[in-house]
Amino acid sequence: MPRGELRIYLGAAPGVGKTYAMLEEAQRRAARGTDVVIGFVETHGRQHTAAMLGDLEQVPRRTMDYRGAEFTEMDLDAVLARRPEVAVVDELAHTNVPGSRHDKRWQDVQELLDAGIDVLSTVNVQHLESVNDVVAQITGTTQRETVPDEIVRAAEQVELVDMTPEALRRRMAHGNIYRPDKIDAALGNYFRVGNLTALRELALLWLADKVDEQLDRYRSQQGIAATWEARERVVVALTGGPEGETLIRRAARVAARSKGADLLAVHVSRSDGLAGADPAQLARQRVLVESLGGTYHQVLGTDVPAALLDFARGVNATQLVLGASRRGRFAQLFARGVGVTTTALSGSIDVHLVTHTEAGRGRRAAAVPAALSRRRRLLGFALAVVGVPLLTLLLTVLPDLTLTNDILLFLVAVVVVALVGGLWPALVAALGGSLLLNWFFTPPYRTLTIAEADNLLALAVFVSVALAVSWIVDVAARRTREAARAAADAQTLAAVAGGVLRGERPLPALLDQLRETFGLRAVSVLELAEEASGRPERAREEHAWCVVASVGDRPACTPDEGETAVPVDERITVVLSGRRLEAADRRIVEAFAAQAAVALRQERLAEEAATARPLAAADRMRTALLAAVSHDLRTPLASAKAAVTSLRSQDIEFDEQDREELLETAEESLDRLARLVGNLLDMSRLQAGVLGITATVIGLEDAVPRALDELGPPAAAVVTDIPADLPAATADPGLLERVLVNVIANALRYSPPGQPPTITGSAHAGQVELRIIDRGPGIPEEQWEHVFLPFQRLGDRDNQTGVGLGLALSRGLAEAMGGSITPETTPGGGLTMVLRLPAAVQTSSEAPQE
């Protein structure tokens, strides 16, 4: 069965007309004869949207009970049984009522699509998972209902329903979105022009990315290699040289001229695996690219211009930034260079050749390591000095050998010397062999004169072949050694990267892996004090350096104390202690040092984020507090004020019973207000960590009755079953009473009539347990942690039951006293809250007598 197709209407904010546009499409399809049904549409009381339903068939919704209230959800089974061609399902990010088959509506939609049913749906940009935090930062409101981006990206069609902020605010003001009593608050908060403009831009950019993916997929499927300039993409080519940072910044400025342009950096590595770039430079340049919002890429290729252009065309690049050639003018006479060749072959891609301080200076000649070991070179010289004369002696005693045979035998000797000792011993053998051939085997003998031209040609060919073979053997040995070195470096980098990924703290893991890899005693990361930065005379002072991270025994505290110091930037230096590294190892160590600087920066950012997290949580709490307590503070104040105003009124005479009733109302309202303010103050103290606790020994058989008295008449029906021999607990009496009042009040609120809560006590493993058991609707296990979040009222859609601080405050107070509160499922249905407190330790005088 083919899978159904999903079409999504994306909007920047509520009210832009997503549901209306979706219903318009449903009406068009129905008019064409398509079987269309309404699985779920929420009109929010908007007349124009409700009118668009018309005569479309609607599948009856499913009614569900949760926490004593009724909710309606889409009847998934009914829609599947109806099997229409197209199902209209509104609000893709909606969270289903607990007890539904799926937690989220988008999961319902996936099941419809799997059944071969096409689906029309809607979603706002603030519900997309990837931009949820950005929306919260812009609007100050966190959207708890989200849908994974891949679900929306996988849709066959995503249509943007757009509207200018001014037009949307006019719709709001005309009452076409919210009820009149909510318009002013909405216009002054979420629906401000700045918020709507930012949300609109988010929606446009997100959809542009999806369209870009579709374009790339189409070009790939159709085999289109030409560049389509649908979007600016700037590619900067990096060689690993010192000019890379200049090129990156220039490319970033080019990209910044076009809104939404992409910056991509690419380095072409040699496909033979040999090192051709400085890994430390590339590591630093990669950090710079990513800090500027770009991405770093690495490709393989022997032909650099071709590999570079293949990458640029593959990403649909529009501009390419290259550095001017570092080769000298003499070298450019023989080859045009990467920049000129790339420009000639670029086609429709604009190429920028950027000058820099290194242009035209020529490539710095790197120290070429010997291809072979010193022992093999000495052995080769020995073979050349001893073996060639021995061969000459042997040939002088062998009869009837022609000059050609002698030359071939000498050539074999030179090849053997080249294989053993490399280039220079082979050159010695070739030159010595040519002289010996001329002296002993070329007429006239015993002279360096050559009488015949053929013999001269033969000797010249011998010398040429000997030199060529020696050169090839030496180059092959050198390349083999370089490849082995590159493989070892790559294996070392992979091991270090793996150690970093496996470690809980990247920087210590990186330094420890570096120490083990090179057999060092210690590795330390030093940071120069800010006041000493840029002042060499201050940098030599001991107190100018600070050890920010170290591993090993006796790490260096200054760069001079270690055997090798690798500067990362002006202030960060990695110092190695234990042994001095070879020059060939320094390049790989520099790459590790650059990664260490990145890890250090990440650790500091994480520390800053951890420091800012409590402040952000406090800000969110204050925001939620202001939003949540407005009604709960006004209600008891209004009730108390009304009662007092009535009592003071001289227009009405109240009898004694009415006066008592009014006074009781005022007292209850003020008590409720006092409890609310007390909860808010305690929660603030908990968040700030300044809650005062006075722990004493207290019997729970005394604490529970006091809490029930505090709750008044509604708590009279609570059943208590606390054993007389239950051990005493260690707790703050006042805070314990607050905990019990909140937890018992929550159980009373959800207990059905005739089935009051039950409180039982027990002791286990040094703890005293109180179980507050109710027979209410219960809470699904996956929602247990949510009930302990501040300002949560699961299943409550009104503002009559408090701000939802009770259980959050109770858990905080219990943990502050060294205890805990955990939920459990009541056998037979309901919820059990288990309060655990430390049991009081008995002194020797209190021990029971035998």
Side-chain angles (χ1 to χ4, degrees):
M1 176 187 300
R3 196 172 189 267
E5 294 186 356
L6 175 61
R7 180 168 182 171
I8 294 177
Y9 291 84
L10 174 67
V16 296
K18 303 180 303 299
T19 304
Y20 189 91
M22 177 183 64
L23 292 174
E24 275 188 325
E25 176 63 20
Q27 291 286 4
R28 282 193 293 269
R29 296 196 184 193
R32 294 195 297 263
T34 305
D35 183 16
V36 180
V37 301
I38 303 294
F40 187 96
V41 168
E42 184 59 67
T43 64
H44 298 287
R46 299 165 190 166
Q47 297 179 357
H48 299 294
T49 303
M52 281 302 300
L53 289 171
D55 56 354
L56 292 174
E57 178 185 349
Q58 300 188 44
V59 176
R61 299 185 183 184
R62 179 185 177 189
T63 302
M64 303 181 65
D65 293 328
Y66 181 69
R67 287 188 171 274
E70 288 189 352
F71 303 94
T72 59
E73 294 286 1
M74 180 178 70
D75 193 336
L76 178 60
D77 291 326
V79 177
L80 291 171
R82 171 65 175 75
R83 296 198 59 79
E85 294 180 71
V86 178
V88 180
V89 183
D90 203 6
E91 298 182 352
L92 187 65
H94 171 75
T95 300
N96 293 328
V97 173
S100 303
R101 183 186 307 176
H102 301 297
D103 294 334
K104 298 287 187 177
R105 185 166 291 163
W106 61 263
Q107 295 171 316
D108 297 336
V109 168
Q110 291 297 305
E111 188 166 345
L112 293 176
L113 295 173
D114 292 338
I117 301 172
D118 295 345
V119 176
L120 306 178
S121 190
T122 64
V123 71
N124 280 328
V125 68
Q126 66 262 32
H127 295 299
L128 297 174
E129 186 67 47
S130 64
V131 298
N132 184 259
D133 56 339
V134 180
V135 173
Q137 183 179 4
I138 293 171
T139 65
T141 302
T142 301
Q143 299 291 337
R144 301 191 181 278
E145 293 184 328
T146 59
V147 58
D149 286 49
E150 58 267 20
I151 299 299
V152 184
R153 289 189 184 277
E156 281 69 22
Q157 298 183 62
V158 178
E159 180 175 333
L160 180 66
V161 183
D162 191 28
M163 181 176 290
T164 64
E166 294 77 12
L168 185 57
R169 285 171 59 85
R170 283 197 299 271
R171 288 197 64 195
M172 173 73 72
H174 293 160
N176 295 330
I177 300 178
Y178 289 161
R179 296 194 309 270
D181 59 329
K182 293 186 176 182
I183 292 177
D184 291 339
L187 289 175
N189 292 283
Y190 194 89
F191 283 81
R192 288 179 294 180
V193 173
N195 289 357
L196 296 177
T197 302
L199 293 174
R200 188 186 185 201
E201 184 177 11
L202 277 178
L204 291 170
L205 291 175
W206 191 93
L207 189 60
D209 286 338
K210 175 173 172 55
V211 173
D212 198 55
E213 290 178 2
Q214 292 176 329
L215 178 61
D216 288 343
R217 187 163 53 249
Y218 174 80
R219 294 176 73 247
S220 177
Q221 292 171 351
Q222 300 299 321
I224 299 174
T227 300
W228 288 7
E229 298 185 13
R231 183 175 182 176
E232 286 290 343
R233 281 188 177 84
V234 181
V235 173
V236 54
L238 302 178
T239 63
E243 75 282 358
E245 294 186 3
T246 302
L247 300 182
I248 292 169
R249 291 190 173 92
R250 178 60 182 273
R253 291 195 296 271
V254 172
R257 295 170 187 166
S258 300
K259 185 68 174 178
D262 292 335
L263 173 64
L264 302 91
V266 60
H267 171 67
V268 180
S269 300
R270 295 177 56 174
S271 58
D272 56 10
L274 301 180
D278 187 348
Q281 290 275 12
L282 285 177
R284 286 191 288 268
Q285 291 165 13
R286 177 173 188 165
V287 173
L288 178 60
V289 169
E290 293 175 349
S291 68
L292 293 173
T295 57
Y296 178 85
H297 306 268
Q298 193 159 339
V299 297
L300 295 176
T302 53
D303 187 348
V304 175
L308 192 57
L309 289 173
D310 286 344
F311 173 82
R313 295 189 179 106
V315 298
N316 203 23
T318 57
Q319 302 190 61
L320 185 58
V321 177
L322 300 171
S325 178
R326 283 185 288 158
R327 301 185 307 155
R329 294 181 180 180
F330 182 77
Q332 294 181 28
L333 294 176
F334 298 95
R336 295 189 299 175
V338 173
V340 177
T341 305
T342 303
T343 304
L345 301 176
S346 62
S348 60
I349 302 177
D350 297 336
V351 178
H352 302 263
L353 277 177
V354 180
T355 59
H356 49 84
T357 56
E358 302 294 325
R361 292 188 176 182
R363 296 182 180 272
R364 293 186 177 90
V368 180
L372 299 175
S373 65
R374 187 169 183 270
R375 179 180 178 184
R376 287 188 59 177
R377 295 198 305 273
L378 291 176
L379 182 59
F381 280 117
L383 284 176
V385 173
V386 177
V388 173
L390 287 178
L391 177 62
T392 303
L393 179 62
L394 178 64
L395 292 178
T396 56
V397 300
L398 292 177
D400 300 332
L401 286 179
T402 64
L403 178 61
T404 302
N405 294 329
D406 295 335
I407 290 175
L408 289 176
L409 291 174
F410 269 91
L411 183 60
V412 171
V414 171
V415 170
V416 171
V417 171
L419 290 174
V420 173
L423 176 62
W424 294 108
L427 290 177
V428 172
L431 293 176
S434 64
L435 293 175
L436 292 173
L437 280 170
N438 188 12
W439 184 269
F440 289 102
F441 305 105
T442 305
Y445 302 109
R446 302 297 188 276
T447 67
L448 295 178
T449 305
I450 301 176
E452 299 180 8
D454 291 344
N455 294 338
L456 177 62
L457 177 62
L459 285 175
V461 170
F462 162 73
V463 173
S464 300
V465 171
L467 293 177
V469 170
S470 302
W471 176 260
I472 292 172
V473 170
D474 185 77
V475 169
R478 192 182 305 278
R479 290 290 181 263
T480 301
R481 185 167 184 175
E482 289 179 1
R485 178 75 187 188
D489 290 347
Q491 186 175 3
T492 302
L493 285 170
V496 170
V500 171
L501 292 175
R502 290 188 296 270
E504 294 182 0
R505 299 183 62 196
L507 182 56
L510 179 66
L511 298 182
D512 196 56
Q513 188 70 35
L514 180 60
R515 182 183 61 82
E516 293 178 358
T517 300
F518 292 99
L520 303 169
R521 186 188 75 244
V523 179
S524 55
V525 179
L526 307 182
E527 184 176 22
L528 184 63
E530 188 172 355
E531 58 271 13
S533 180
R535 302 177 62 182
E537 71 281 1
R538 294 289 304 276
R540 288 191 291 270
E541 299 176 3
E542 184 177 354
H543 64 272
W545 293 93
C546 173
V547 179
V548 295
S550 64
V551 294
D553 183 31
R554 292 178 285 113
C557 298
T558 64
D560 295 335
E561 293 182 12
E563 277 72 21
T564 305
V566 181
V568 179
D569 54 31
E570 293 181 355
R571 297 185 58 190
I572 302 296
T573 299
V574 177
V575 182
L576 313 180
S577 304
R579 70 180 184 89
R580 189 171 298 278
L581 297 181
E582 298 178 3
D585 293 329
R586 187 178 177 89
R587 294 178 64 195
I588 200 73
V589 173
E590 288 178 349
F592 294 164
Q595 294 298 328
V598 174
L600 175 62
R601 190 179 298 113
Q602 290 176 343
E603 282 197 2
R604 289 182 171 175
L605 289 174
E607 291 174 358
E608 292 177 2
T611 303
R613 195 173 296 117
L615 299 177
D619 287 340
R620 287 195 298 271
M621 178 182 172
R622 283 192 290 269
T623 301
L625 174 64
L626 294 174
V629 304
S630 58
H631 179 278
D632 297 273
L633 287 173
R634 284 198 304 266
T635 300
L637 281 174
S639 299
K641 183 177 180 180
V644 173
T645 301
S646 299
L647 289 172
R648 296 187 61 184
S649 174
Q650 298 180 0
D651 298 333
I652 303 175
E653 291 290 339
F654 294 100
D655 56 22
E656 190 64 26
Q657 181 178 357
D658 292 337
R659 291 177 61 85
E660 288 296 328
E661 185 175 347
L662 289 172
L663 288 172
E664 183 179 354
T665 299
E667 184 179 10
E668 290 178 355
S669 299
L670 292 175
D671 287 343
R672 178 181 173 189
L673 181 61
R675 285 195 298 270
L676 174 61
V677 172
N679 283 343
L680 293 173
L681 291 175
D682 284 344
M683 180 57 72
S684 299
R685 294 190 187 101
L686 275 174
Q687 293 285 342
V690 295
L691 182 67
I693 298 176
T694 304
T696 60
V697 177
I698 183 173
L700 297 183
E701 67 277 5
D702 298 326
V704 171
R706 285 200 297 268
L708 296 177
D709 291 341
E710 176 71 18
L711 290 169
V718 175
V719 179
T720 59
D721 183 14
I722 300 177
D725 58 348
L726 184 67
T730 302
D732 185 301
L735 298 183
L736 177 58
E737 183 176 337
R738 300 292 299 280
V739 172
L740 292 173
V741 166
N742 285 324
V743 176
I744 297 172
N746 189 72
L748 283 169
R749 183 179 300 122
Y750 296 109
S751 293
Q755 292 183 303
T758 301
I759 303 176
T760 65
S762 61
H764 179 69
Q767 289 184 319
V768 181
E769 296 181 353
L770 275 182
R771 295 178 176 269
I772 297 89
I773 306 167
D774 69 60
R775 299 289 180 179
I779 300 175
E781 184 173 350
E782 61 272 13
Q783 297 287 332
W784 281 355
E785 287 303 313
H786 289 269
V787 301
F788 294 106
L789 298 177
F791 316 116
Q792 300 296 312
R793 297 190 296 268
L794 296 184
D796 297 333
R797 301 303 174 98
D798 59 10
N799 287 328
Q800 306 298 326
T801 53
V803 294
L805 274 176
L807 291 180
L809 178 61
S810 298
R811 168 175 275 192
L813 296 178
E815 292 176 350
M817 294 185 292
S820 65
I821 293 181
T822 55
E824 294 180 357
T825 301
T826 302
L831 184 69
T832 298
M833 285 291 182
V834 183
L835 170 62
R836 295 181 177 89
L837 293 170
V841 180
Q842 291 180 326
T843 63
S844 57
S845 60
E846 296 171 335
Q849 299 295 323
E850 294 185 354

